[in-house]
Amino acid sequence: MPSLASKWASPPTRTPLIENLVSGVDRYNPSNVSILEDYLYHQTRSEEYDCLANLAILKLYQFNPDLYNPDVVIYILIKALTSAPFPDFNLCISLLDERPAATNPDEPDPLPTLLPILTSLYNLLQQCRFPAFWALYRSDEAETLRDNYTVECVGFENAVREVVIRAVKAAFTRIGSERLGAYLDLSGGDLTAYVESLGWSIDPATEVIAVPPNPDNHIESTVVQENIQLPQLSKIITHATQNARGAL
Amino acid sequence: MAQQVAFAQIPDVVKRFIVHFHQAVLDNNLAEITVAYESGWNRLTEKFYAKTEWPEAEVIAPLVNDDQIFLILYRELYYRHVYSRLQPDIDDRFHSYENSCELFNYLLNSDGPVQLELPEQWLWDIIDEFIYQYQSFCVWRSKVKSKTDEELILLADANQVWSSYSVLNVLYSLIQKSKINEHLVALQEGKSAEEIAEIVGEYGVKPLYRMLGYFSIIGLLRVHSLLGDFTLALKVMENVELNQRSPFTRVTACHVTTYYYVGFCYIMLRRYPDAIRAFVSILNFILRMRQYHTRSYQYDQINKTADRMYALFAICNALSPMRSDDNISNIVKERYGEQFAKMSRGEEGIPAFEELFVYACPKFISANPPPYEDPEQLAAHMEDPPVEPVQRHLALFLSEVRAQAPVPTLRSFLKLYASLDAKKLANFLDADEEEMVQQMMVMKQASRSVSRVENEKGLLDGQMISTSDLDFVINENMVHIAESTVGRRYAGWFIRNTEHAQRVFDTLRNSSLPAPPPKSTAQSAPANGANESATPAPRTGGQRVAWGGVKVA
């Protein structure tokens, strides 16, 4: 079974064409940028995600500033926001070299205004401050982001909820429905339906939700015993055999 | 005329050296080339050229029958000397680029593989220096203010010089020509020497191309790191196995560089356990080989890199506290104990993270030059200079650190209890209960990390592991805590003392009878007599002796 990180580094949905671009030297060819950009747009419509392919776009932008397309960058960052437990968002930012302010006044670059909001949203998710995340996301400040961008990313809000569920599953065995509702930005029937879709159960009397056991929310005290590896002793054994030879 | 004057001024011993050096290169005599390269050149530099350039290649050309290939190699050394001992001016920077291009052009675009052979150490130094000069140029180029008018004009015209594309092009071409990736895969599949020769073709069978190919992979790791592409940096290493037994690890400087950048990339990927493992492995290697290498001309450089890795280790250990190698932890405590203590205290430790990160990180560069070709934009650029690359990467790193800033405090409280009420814990912390619960989720996430567990193919692969000895779970409002403790460890103590006893025994056995008056220092300078005779006098990548021998056993 492919490991968590191998699915991240090469998602099963990646086509051979894209794989060739991600892993080969064709990734540096500026004329391939549109293939990768189309693939990104496909990701926004299909709830698929391919971090390395998107980084390849940013790499082309880094080397060829003329190719820069702010909308593409914003979509890449939105997709990267919800890629827990991987730090994709910062990996993407890391490739955004400083660029001169937009040269064309007719088409203002939306990235400089949206980047601080996206960064704040990312930090709130990192800090598990989920209610604050939703508050900022739903605020007037983020209106452009919602109306022009996240609306185009199919399943964005559910992707955020998956990040929440990851964190909750690891830390809780039982959680109050009010608290979980605030994390998920869901209440009433929506919350019940969502929780049921996860296969979790709500106690109707106490409104407490039981989180099924998993390796992260199952804890146990253990004593770790020392495990001595042969290589640790190799110096001593070598010395002993050399000496034995020397003695003969 | 001027050349003849310059020629006349060259000391005879230098002339003889150059003639001899040239002959060794013509003969492909690796032993002689190594002596000239590693000791002759450095000795004469100290004696005659400590503060000035070596004679220009055109001046010494008559000594080597105008051998263009040798002159390219000579210039390689000439410019390296300028960069390391003197201040390269813009002409040096442009010309060293041209010379590198000529060298790689000769290697890559001759009619078939060239017959030249060079010592591995030199081949590594060629790649290493090529990237260093590129990085140095990028940094120098980014400082617009200090440029003279003449430099501004030259830079406006020269956007191909030391461009990222040209540097990557060289490295990828060497990798492809040598088929080094195919070679590495074939080795892992256990193919025979004949099969490998078949696979890698006429270039790859030659040590020169094979080693340049391998060093170029490491070069890519470094270039991608400098440009902030940490995933790609590790991805190009896909076929390289990180261990000390591979036939490609004989050049110590290359080995150290590899681990430094791999470890650093792991930090930026938030994979602290993997970073720690990389640093522990190489730092132990450096400790072990120290006794054999104190006089190597690279020793200083390796030591500096090692010190930066101790700093990075301290960072990782603060972010992901786990028990690891005692030796290394103790040295870190000595060197960075103060910063480590601060970093383990959350928010107030941020300046310590910053200090160590800036000290120990690679010298980041921007991929693109300031707009020298456009005076108007250049003026705007000077007016409002962009954030320096290192500051951008620092900010990103600190955002990860800040996200888990509450963890150390929470940890210290949780350690005291088996279970406690969330409200009570919030009271202790003087925090809002809901906020505190959210911080608990952060703590949980910080105690998990993606990590290579065993034998994963490629450095990017890995699984989720738990990295903390302290674990907890929240049952509605009740926090339950479990701690894993480590049983007492004996092995290190017994191993150290056994080794010590062996040394004492050796010393005793090797001393002549009747015993001379005992010296108290005799024990700390153990007689490695048996090993010493096995170490060849000129260092030809001799660390094989230091470490390979032990490991193979």
Side-chain angles (χ1 to χ4, degrees), chain B residues 240-534:
Chain B
V240 176
E241 276 185 289
L242 282 191
N243 63 49
Q244 285 146 356
R245 268 158 296 184
S246 125
F248 293 99
T249 57
R250 290 191 293 252
V251 177
T252 307
C254 167
H255 202 43
V256 172
T257 301
T258 308
Y259 277 78
Y260 168 76
Y261 284 102
V262 166
F264 186 81
C265 287
Y266 275 134
I267 294 180
M268 298 311 268
L269 285 168
R270 224 164 50 196
R271 291 173 60 161
Y272 307 118
D274 283 327
I276 288 177
R277 198 170 325 116
F279 294 138
V280 165
S281 155
I282 196 66
L283 289 168
N284 270 318
F285 172 83
I286 294 172
L287 285 179
R288 268 189 296 253
M289 64 146 224
R290 186 157 59 183
Q291 52 187 316
Y292 298 93
H293 270 281
T294 44
R295 275 162 305 165
S296 156
Y297 64 104
Q298 300 163 329
Y299 183 69
D300 277 352
Q301 194 53 45
I302 288 172
N303 252 354
K304 276 182 200 151
T305 309
D307 193 61
R308 290 157 81 200
M309 289 194 279
Y310 282 113
L312 293 175
F313 178 97
I315 287 178
C316 296
N317 215 11
L319 290 171
S320 181
M322 55 198 276
R323 230 193 129 95
S324 65
D325 192 275
D326 289 340
N327 252 341
I328 304 300
S329 305
N330 287 338
I331 298 177
V332 168
K333 253 178 234 150
E334 271 167 39
R335 297 194 191 178
Y336 298 109
E338 194 188 321
Q339 289 94 333
F340 183 76
K342 286 183 191 152
M343 289 190 293
S344 312
R345 283 201 295 264
E347 189 70 33
E348 59 176 304
I350 301 267
F353 278 107
E354 190 170 334
E355 176 199 336
L356 290 193
F357 184 90
V358 170
Y359 163 67
C361 72
K363 304 272 174 286
F364 292 114
I365 50 180
S366 305
N368 294 299
Y372 282 108
E373 69 292 343
D374 183 336
E376 219 169 283
Q377 281 189 25
L378 191 64
H381 179 96
M382 285 172 75
E383 195 69 24
D384 181 18
V387 184
E388 284 191 30
V390 59
Q391 293 300 324
R392 294 198 303 116
H393 293 291
L394 172 67
L396 292 175
F397 170 70
L398 290 182
S399 89
E400 303 288 358
V401 173
R402 276 209 181 87
Q404 46 168 299
V407 172
T409 316
L410 277 175
R411 221 182 117 83
S412 61
F413 273 99
L414 292 186
K415 262 185 172 292
L416 306 174
Y417 296 88
S419 63
L420 94 158
D421 189 70
K423 191 171 280 162
K424 206 162 146 194
L425 179 57
N427 275 341
F428 287 150
L429 292 162
D430 204 13
D432 174 75
E433 184 183 340
E434 282 308 311
E435 265 176 39
M436 194 273 309
V437 170
Q438 290 164 23
Q439 290 175 357
M440 298 283 288
M441 286 189 282
V442 173
M443 178 173 170
K444 190 73 167 197
Q445 293 189 343
S447 69
R448 301 288 186 275
S449 176
V450 178
S451 170
R452 278 162 61 87
V453 179
E454 52 189 275
N455 298 329
E456 276 95 348
K457 176 150 171 32
L459 299 182
L460 285 176
D461 202 355
Q463 303 168 35
M464 197 53 109
I465 60 158
S466 166
T467 60
S468 172
D469 49 1
L470 188 74
D471 210 350
F472 72 90
V473 76
I474 309 174
N475 183 344
E476 209 186 344
N477 284 314
M478 201 62 177
V479 183
H480 299 278
I481 299 120
E483 194 172 358
S484 306
T485 43
V486 176
R488 188 140 181 216
R489 315 218 300 178
Y490 300 100
W493 191 89
F494 275 104
I495 290 168
R496 269 196 306 281
N497 282 285
T498 309
E499 289 173 359
H500 181 70
Q502 285 176 334
R503 281 196 300 271
V504 172
F505 175 62
D506 283 351
T507 315
L508 285 177
R509 209 177 50 159
N510 289 338
S511 45
S512 51
L513 287 170
K519 276 190 238 152
S520 60
T521 53
Q523 287 179 1
S524 59
N528 270 332
N531 290 345
E532 252 162 31
S533 57

Side-chain angles (χ1 to χ4, degrees), chain B residues 44-297:
Chain B
L44 293 171
T45 297
E46 290 302 335
K47 197 158 174 199
F48 299 107
Y49 306 109
K51 294 192 174 74
T52 88
E53 293 91 350
W54 274 70
E56 294 203 10
E58 290 69 25
V59 174
I60 61 125
L63 289 173
V64 299
N65 299 325
D66 215 17
D67 177 344
Q68 289 306 311
I69 304 311
F70 183 79
L71 290 177
I72 291 175
L73 294 171
Y74 178 84
R75 279 194 209 98
E76 203 273 318
L77 294 174
Y78 171 93
Y79 287 115
R80 203 191 307 168
H81 170 63
V82 170
Y83 277 84
S84 72
R85 297 286 189 113
L86 315 164
Q87 277 293 329
D89 61 22
I90 187 166
D91 289 336
D92 291 324
R93 291 178 189 278
F94 280 35
H95 291 153
S96 74
Y97 173 75
E98 281 160 24
N99 191 58
S100 300
C101 291
E102 278 183 43
L103 173 60
F104 293 123
N105 203 26
Y106 164 67
L107 296 175
L108 290 164
N109 301 328
S110 291
D111 207 9
V114 304
Q115 296 308 312
L116 180 72
E117 284 182 46
L118 292 177
E120 290 180 2
Q121 180 68 50
W122 192 352
L123 295 173
W124 162 253
D125 289 338
I126 286 174
I127 299 292
D128 186 53
E129 184 68 14
F130 179 60
I131 297 170
Y132 168 73
Q133 291 178 8
Y134 157 70
Q135 175 252 321
S136 162
F137 184 81
C138 290
V139 170
W140 174 80
R141 181 181 65 181
S142 68
K143 300 196 169 76
V144 182
K145 274 195 179 133
S146 53
K147 299 289 172 283
T148 64
D149 290 345
E150 191 200 351
E151 286 171 338
L152 288 173
I153 294 167
L154 285 169
L155 284 166
D157 278 348
N159 52 6
Q160 277 313 300
V161 176
W162 290 118
S163 74
S164 303
Y165 262 117
S166 67
V167 170
L168 289 176
N169 192 13
V170 166
L171 299 176
Y172 276 107
S173 301
L174 287 168
I175 289 171
Q176 288 182 332
K177 208 62 155 189
S178 63
K179 299 220 168 110
I180 186 66
N181 274 313
E182 291 83 343
H183 190 143
L184 292 168
V185 170
L187 276 178
Q188 280 158 33
E189 287 169 353
K191 294 245 161 58
S192 70
E194 292 78 22
E195 286 171 306
I196 291 176
E198 185 86 358
I199 289 168
V200 300
E202 54 170 348
Y203 285 92
V205 292
K206 293 201 158 285
L208 176 110
Y209 288 95
R210 182 170 68 232
M211 295 316 292
L212 281 175
Y214 182 82
F215 295 148
S216 294
I217 296 180
I218 309 303
L220 279 183
L221 163 72
R222 180 166 162 205
V223 171
H224 290 317
S225 303
L226 294 176
L227 288 166
D229 198 339
F230 310 109
T231 30
L232 190 55
L234 293 182
K235 190 163 167 54
V236 295
M237 295 282 290
E238 217 157 23
N239 298 310
V240 176
E241 276 185 289
L242 282 191
N243 63 49
Q244 285 146 356
R245 268 158 296 184
S246 125
F248 293 99
T249 57
R250 290 191 293 252
V251 177
T252 307
C254 167
H255 202 43
V256 172
T257 301
T258 308
Y259 277 78
Y260 168 76
Y261 284 102
V262 166
F264 186 81
C265 287
Y266 275 134
I267 294 180
M268 298 311 268
L269 285 168
R270 224 164 50 196
R271 291 173 60 161
Y272 307 118
D274 283 327
I276 288 177
R277 198 170 325 116
F279 294 138
V280 165
S281 155
I282 196 66
L283 289 168
N284 270 318
F285 172 83
I286 294 172
L287 285 179
R288 268 189 296 253
M289 64 146 224
R290 186 157 59 183
Q291 52 187 316
Y292 298 93
H293 270 281
T294 44
R295 275 162 305 165
S296 156
Y297 64 104

Side-chain angles (χ1 to χ4, degrees), chain A residues 3 28 55 59 62 64 85 90 94 96-97 126-127 170-174 179 216 222-224 226 239 243, chain B residues 165 172 224 227-229 270 367-368 392-393 400 434 444 448 461 474-476 484-485 487 490-491 506:
Chain A
S3 68
Y28 297 101
L55 288 170
K59 183 104 216 157
Q62 185 185 34
N64 307 276
N90 278 352
S94 175
L96 295 179
D97 280 25
Q126 285 296 99
Q127 296 166 12
F172 288 88
T173 50
R174 299 189 323 135
R179 185 178 272 160
D216 289 325
T222 50
V223 178
V224 179
E226 183 174 26
H239 186 275
N243 260 1
Chain B
Y165 262 117
Y172 276 107
H224 290 317
L227 288 166
D229 198 339
R270 224 164 50 196
N368 294 299
R392 294 198 303 116
H393 293 291
E400 303 288 358
E434 282 308 311
K444 190 73 167 197
R448 301 288 186 275
D461 202 355
I474 309 174
N475 183 344
E476 209 186 344
S484 306
T485 43
Y490 300 100
D506 283 351

Side-chain angles (χ1 to χ4, degrees), chain A residues 74-177:
Chain A
I74 292 165
Y75 285 125
I76 290 176
L77 292 176
I78 290 171
K79 291 298 279 184
L81 265 184
T82 53
S83 175
F86 298 98
D88 297 5
F89 187 83
N90 278 352
L91 295 176
C92 292
I93 301 273
S94 175
L95 286 182
L96 295 179
D97 280 25
E98 289 296 322
R99 63 190 66 254
T103 38
N104 183 353
D106 297 333
E107 277 181 62
D109 183 348
L111 186 61
T113 38
L114 291 184
L115 192 54
I117 301 172
L118 284 164
T119 306
S120 302
L121 288 173
Y122 174 70
N123 287 335
L124 291 172
L125 279 186
Q126 285 296 99
Q127 296 166 12
C128 297
R129 295 174 58 195
F130 304 123
F133 172 91
W134 292 111
L136 175 60
Y137 176 67
R138 304 249 180 253
S139 71
D140 291 346
E141 204 186 333
E143 194 181 340
T144 322
L145 182 70
R146 283 196 313 274
D147 292 356
N148 296 339
Y149 294 99
T150 53
V151 69
E152 304 286 339
C153 292
V154 174
F156 171 73
E157 294 181 9
N158 271 335
V160 174
R161 291 191 182 105
E162 278 169 33
V163 175
V164 173
I165 292 301
R166 249 188 72 80
V168 168
K169 246 169 74 178
F172 288 88
T173 50
R174 299 189 323 135
I175 180 171
S177 53

Side-chain angles (χ1 to χ4, degrees), chain A:
Chain A
M1 200 185 84
S3 68
L4 184 68
S6 76
K7 269 191 269 177
W8 170 78
S10 69
T13 48
R14 184 188 288 165
T15 61
L17 172 71
I18 300 296
E19 169 61 28
N20 191 30
L21 287 183
V22 169
S23 299
V25 286
D26 278 347
R27 59 161 37 242
Y28 297 101
N29 186 344
S31 58
N32 287 327
V33 74
S34 57
I35 301 175
L36 290 165
E37 286 171 345
D38 287 347
Y39 180 47
L40 167 73
Y41 283 113
H42 167 77
Q43 293 170 44
T44 61
R45 289 189 304 265
S46 62
E47 298 189 56
E48 289 173 17
Y49 177 59
D50 190 335
C51 178
L52 267 63
N54 297 347
L55 288 170
I57 301 179
L58 297 176
K59 183 104 216 157
L60 279 167
Y61 289 0
Q62 185 185 34
F63 285 165
N64 307 276
D66 297 346
L67 297 177
Y68 171 70
N69 176 342
D71 289 347
V72 169
V73 174
I74 292 165
Y75 285 125
I76 290 176
L77 292 176
I78 290 171
K79 291 298 279 184
L81 265 184
T82 53
S83 175
F86 298 98
D88 297 5
F89 187 83
N90 278 352
L91 295 176
C92 292
I93 301 273
S94 175
L95 286 182
L96 295 179
D97 280 25
E98 289 296 322
R99 63 190 66 254
T103 38
N104 183 353
D106 297 333
E107 277 181 62
D109 183 348
L111 186 61
T113 38
L114 291 184
L115 192 54
I117 301 172
L118 284 164
T119 306
S120 302
L121 288 173
Y122 174 70
N123 287 335
L124 291 172
L125 279 186
Q126 285 296 99
Q127 296 166 12
C128 297
R129 295 174 58 195
F130 304 123
F133 172 91
W134 292 111
L136 175 60
Y137 176 67
R138 304 249 180 253
S139 71
D140 291 346
E141 204 186 333
E143 194 181 340
T144 322
L145 182 70
R146 283 196 313 274
D147 292 356
N148 296 339
Y149 294 99
T150 53
V151 69
E152 304 286 339
C153 292
V154 174
F156 171 73
E157 294 181 9
N158 271 335
V160 174
R161 291 191 182 105
E162 278 169 33
V163 175
V164 173
I165 292 301
R166 249 188 72 80
V168 168
K169 246 169 74 178
F172 288 88
T173 50
R174 299 189 323 135
I175 180 171
S177 53
E178 197 185 331
R179 185 178 272 160
L180 184 63
Y183 291 175
L184 293 169
D185 195 33
L186 291 174
S187 56
D190 290 342
L191 178 64
T192 318
Y194 190 87
V195 168
E196 276 167 6
S197 76
L198 293 170
W200 296 3
S201 57
I202 306 184
D203 183 333
T206 56
E207 298 240 314
V208 172
I209 295 159
V211 180
N214 63 73
D216 289 325
N217 74 358
H218 174 77
I219 58 165
E220 138 182 82
S221 303
T222 50
V223 178
V224 179
Q225 291 299 344
E226 183 174 26
N227 196 357
I228 302 163
Q229 305 289 330
L230 185 62
Q232 287 176 268
L233 300 173
S234 61
K235 204 168 156 190
I236 292 174
I237 296 170
T238 313
H239 186 275
T241 53
Q242 276 170 354
N243 260 1
R245 236 181 294 135
L248 288 175

